[in-house]
Every structure is written in C-alpha cells, then in structure tokens.
Amino acid sequence: GSGYRDILLAGNINHVRPATGGMQAGGHGLHLRIDRNGKYGALNLQESGFFLDGEARKLRSVKLSGEHRIFMAAMNDDRPRYFRLRNE
C-alpha cells in the first residue's frame, strides 16, 4: 500500500422510532484511502472490494501470515462477514 492507514466505515442503525420515520440510507460501508498529500478519498466497490450490507456492530482486522490481512465484521442478528481489501 501507500504506507498510510485507510479508514473503513460501516453503518449500524437501520431501524428508527416510528415518529422519526424510516432511514434506509443504503449504507454498504465505505473505504477511505489517504493520498500522499494527506487527503482522503472514497474508493468504489471495484477498487476496494469492501461491501458490507446490514447492521455492523464491530470491525476487526486480522493479520494472517506475512503481510496478508483479512477483516471481520460482527453483524447484528446475522453471521459474521469476512473480506479482504483489494490492493492490500
């Protein structure tokens, strides 16, 4: 990678009180990558490989052998999701 840390964001609230109205914002996660000038930009699914549909409660990075890394997302009322970022 670039030597800078990326940021992964995941949504965790789909349901709201009836008085507030529905919030189906379509959150599927977001991968932000920092450039050499210190500015973050969003990567699309094809660039990053990060797609997380549902209510995520926690994201964890798991280091495998060497420099390889996978990410685990603990989901609300669902099975965990595992993924690897592209160009990692």
Side-chain angles (χ1 to χ4, degrees), residues 69-80:
R69 184 175 300 275
I70 63 169
F71 294 87
M72 182 189 84
M75 305 302 288
N76 187 45
D77 295 328
D78 203 352
R79 62 180 172 71

Side-chain angles (χ1 to χ4, degrees), residues 6 13 28 32 39 46 53 59 62 66 70 72:
D6 292 356
I13 299 176
H28 299 294
L32 298 174
K39 299 194 184 223
Q46 290 75 26
D53 190 21
L59 290 172
V62 179
I70 63 169
M72 182 189 84

Side-chain angles (χ1 to χ4, degrees), residues 55-66:
E55 295 183 26
R57 294 296 181 220
K58 193 168 282 209
L59 290 172
R60 287 284 189 239
S61 171
V62 179
K63 187 173 181 179
L64 302 176
S65 62

Side-chain angles (χ1 to χ4, degrees), residues 7-14 23-32 43-45 48-56 59 73 75 81 83 85:
I7 296 175
L8 296 177
L9 301 169
N12 70 354
I13 299 176
N14 267 346
M23 268 181 51
Q24 297 298 323
H28 299 294
L30 181 63
H31 181 181
L32 298 174
L43 300 179
N44 65 38
L45 174 62
S48 75
F50 180 57
F51 179 83
L52 194 55
D53 190 21
E55 295 183 26
L59 290 172
M75 305 302 288
R81 309 275 168 75
F83 56 93
L85 297 179

